[in-house]
Every structure is written in structure tokens, then in C-alpha cells.
Amino acid sequence: MQPHYDDNDLGAGGTIAALAAAGAEVHYLTVTDDLVGVLDASLSDDEARARLHAEQEEAGAEIGVTSQTWLDYPDAGEYGYFELRTRIIRRIREVRPDFVLTVDPDLPYEAHRDHLVVGRAASESILMYRFARIATDPQVDRAYEPHEIRGLAYYFTARPNTVFDIDASRQVKHRAIGAYRSQFTPEGIDALRRGLEAQERRWAADEAFDHGEALLVLARSHLHVNLDSRV
Ligand SMILES: [Zn+2]
């Protein structure tokens, strides 16, 4: 679950590609339309949105994404928290994920409201998706058989407790990022790759592998009145 079209891949693309290669089904939920960062000001909103979706499909094909869902809320704009939470819970009931990845809503000084709101709404949805009295879509709710989400992982986190080995999958991630042409110039994509590579190496500095992605992995039980928290 991501605020913007590239967050999952920039934050955890190597991890996700490795999971997909190992046989996991991967479903992306993108909350905003991400129009604010589009470089070409001559495009209409509809044209820009179509390009962003196509670029995401292209990147997703590299990573091994099974499905893409867009909520198309206005990027850096106004939208309701509870409506967003309802739509996330609806998607959880449809997809029945074992595990969820999203942005850490408690990253210190994070100023982008989309990251704060999406990380928070995704986390609260994981806490509450099984409560039948939280209604989403009547058809989805009627068909939903309760299932267990085993945990979640935050990327873009300052407090990782896990470094995932991406030696075998980092090239897939870096190829996928090349799809994001509407928001990055070719030089921008090169700079992004260099920055990511440096960070991947730093995260793996104490590991038995060379490139890693830092994640804060939590169980669902950590998400409410977790008085023993060490994270
Ligand atoms: Zn973002």
C-alpha cells in the first residue's frame, strides 16, 4: 500500500521482487493520483494519469506485481481519512493478504501528509479489517471469510529491525525504477539509482550480503496498546 506510484518500488522494490520470484502474489494499492510530481506541465490531468498508470504497469511487470489498484485521491490534496480507511479495508477483504508493506507513518519529521495519512490508515486498517461492523461494500463484506494478516512491514523507516537481502533482486528493482519517466528526467533516474545503491550498501554493512533494504517488521499485535514495545 503506497501513497504515490513509486513508493513501494523505491522503498522495498528489491524485497517485493524477491518475494514475487519466490512465488508470492503481490497486490499494489496506490492511494493518490500522484499528479503533483509530473514534469510535463502541458499534459492534461487525464493524460498524465494515464501515463503514470502505464509506467506503474511497466515497473510492476518487472517486479512481478499481480494486480494494481488505484484510488486516485488528489496527490498532496484533501481527502477524508475514514473514507480512505474504509477503501483500504475493502481491498484487504477482497485480496486477503498474508502480509502488508507500507510507509512508516512515524518517520521523524516526515512532512508529506500523504505518507503520514496512508501509513496511518493502512496500519489502522490492519488492526480493524476483521470487525464486521466496519462496513465497506455490501457485496465484498458479505463474501468475506475472516482471515489472518500475519504482519506488516514499514519501509522508509528510521527504526528498522530487519535488513532484507536484495543481492539477487536489486537489478530488477533498478530496472523497474527506469519506468518512472513522468516524474524523473533520465539524469534524475541515474541519480536516484546511485542514491539507492549507496543506501542499499549502507544497510547491508553489517550483513553477510552486499545490498539490503531496511524494514520495520511488526505483528498485528504490535499495533494497539503495545506496552512492551522496544521499537
Ligand atoms: Zn511518496
Side-chain angles (χ1 to χ4, degrees):
M1 294 180 191
Q2 59 181 354
H4 307 113
Y5 85 148
D6 52 2
D7 290 317
N8 281 348
D9 295 342
L10 295 178
T15 302
I16 296 166
L19 293 172
E25 262 184 47
V26 177
H27 299 273
Y28 275 21
L29 180 68
T30 305
V31 168
T32 75
D33 59 19
D34 218 357
L35 293 183
V36 169
V38 172
L39 300 174
D40 184 349
S42 71
L43 295 175
S44 71
D45 284 358
D46 284 345
E47 286 168 333
R49 208 176 277 117
R51 277 198 201 182
L52 294 172
H53 288 194
E55 291 174 9
Q56 243 191 285
E57 297 277 15
E58 186 184 328
E62 287 281 357
I63 298 275
V65 175
T66 313
S67 78
Q68 302 266 7
T69 301
W70 292 276
L71 300 185
D72 281 333
Y73 284 111
D75 183 14
E78 193 175 342
Y79 49 90
Y81 175 85
F82 290 103
E83 187 192 295
L84 170 61
R85 194 187 70 183
T86 300
R87 294 182 75 180
I88 293 174
I89 291 176
R90 175 193 166 152
R91 192 67 187 138
I92 287 174
R93 290 176 183 171
E94 287 173 334
V95 171
R96 305 169 58 82
D98 300 311
F99 205 85
V100 175
L101 282 117
T102 192
V103 293
D104 186 345
D106 296 312
L107 180 64
Y109 316 117
E110 176 60 62
H112 204 312
R113 184 179 170 278
D114 291 335
H115 281 231
L116 302 173
V117 172
V118 172
R120 187 66 64 215
S123 305
E124 202 183 21
S125 297
I126 292 165
L127 188 65
M128 299 189 170
Y129 70 98
R130 289 178 59 150
F131 294 135
R133 283 176 179 273
I134 296 184
T136 66
D137 174 278
Q139 255 184 326
V140 172
D141 295 350
R142 253 197 313 276
Y144 177 65
E145 299 276 345
H147 84 293
E148 196 62 47
I149 294 179
R150 284 185 265 176
L152 81 159
Y154 293 130
Y155 56 83
F156 297 156
T157 183
R159 291 176 294 179
N161 58 6
T162 304
V163 180
F164 197 96
D165 175 358
I166 63 161
D167 276 348
S169 58
R170 60 175 293 281
Q171 289 198 331
V172 172
K173 165 188 176 180
H174 283 247
R175 258 201 314 275
I177 286 164
Y180 295 128
R181 294 176 292 276
S182 291
Q183 298 216 351
F184 299 99
T185 61
E187 302 75 42
I189 288 175
D190 285 346
L192 196 57
R193 284 181 172 139
R194 284 196 300 276
L196 285 170
E197 158 119 39
Q199 189 130 51
E200 290 159 6
R201 285 186 177 279
R202 272 201 301 279
W203 279 326
D206 298 327
E207 309 291 337
F209 41 87
D210 296 325
H211 303 83
E213 281 172 345
L215 302 170
L216 174 56
V217 179
L218 299 174
R220 191 161 160 257
S221 59
H222 289 124
L223 294 177
H224 187 49
V225 197
N226 178 24
L227 300 178
D228 295 325
S229 176
R230 296 287 178 272
V231 293

